[in-house]
Amino acid sequence: MTFKPLLHRLVNSPYLDLIGVTIVVAGSLSLHYHLDRVTHTLSLLGCVSILSTSMSLMSTRLVSRQKNLGNVIGVFTALSSAVIDFLLGIRSAWLTYPISMLANLLAALKWQRGVKVRSYDRLYWIILMASMLLGALLTWLGARLASTDTFNNIVAWCGLQPSGPITMSTSLFVTTSLITGFAFVSNTANILKYEETWLTWMCYNLTRLFQSLLTLNIANAIKYIFYIFNAVITFIDWRLSRAPSPAAQERTSHDPRR
């Protein structure tokens, strides 16, 4: 068996789905996400969080296999993640998750009408730059809204009065901006089925892996290693399965050496 069919079988293997879900659930349980931090009893929010994380893994794997169901699951995953983060006190969750929900919804609608894997073009670079700028802007705005009183920060952000202090450190701001930007690029590029979607997911997961290693969160590190592995093999599989562009086909048909 040649490399291409073997890789395609690996990307589409349901056993890889099972391995991924097992890593996510085992890691979450080892970190006691299912327990209340105060009472150490079973937490409904924690259990829902583990389910949401597992759904996110399955959404990623189904999209890897070019199954539109992955985009549909992604819509509900983004919604559940937003609710969970908001309940956990991350009040800026409403800034970013609606964008992920919209991107997954548009991807589901676009894929349903039929879309083929494509390589980068001018539009991809526009998506890349706009998403990274938006990620930085929303991270900055989120830090402002979380620093002091929400109303005063909104007024200050509009330039109507002097702004308050930003409590987020520079390193945290840069890291969070990159993570948010990479997520926006990947979710948006996925709508048009760019193979480079998986390159930006690699960058996203590498940043997350670096975070996990810095905090010695080994369970999360193993999870992101799996995500990186999945992104690498999916990128290669999508690249090999992508049909040549019309221009490339025309050049081949007029090749005098043929």
Side-chain angles (χ1 to χ4, degrees), residues 95-110:
L95 289 173
T96 56
Y97 282 112
I99 297 175
S100 299
M101 287 176 58
L102 178 61
N104 279 284
L105 178 60
L106 292 176
L109 295 174
K110 181 71 173 177

Side-chain angles (χ1 to χ4, degrees), residues 159-189:
L160 301 180
Q161 70 178 38
S163 61
I166 298 178
T167 58
M168 181 178 284
S169 66
T170 302
S171 59
L172 180 59
F173 172 78
V174 171
T175 304
T176 307
S177 296
L178 287 174
I179 289 172
T180 306
F182 286 141
F184 286 166
V185 176
S186 303
N187 283 320
T188 307

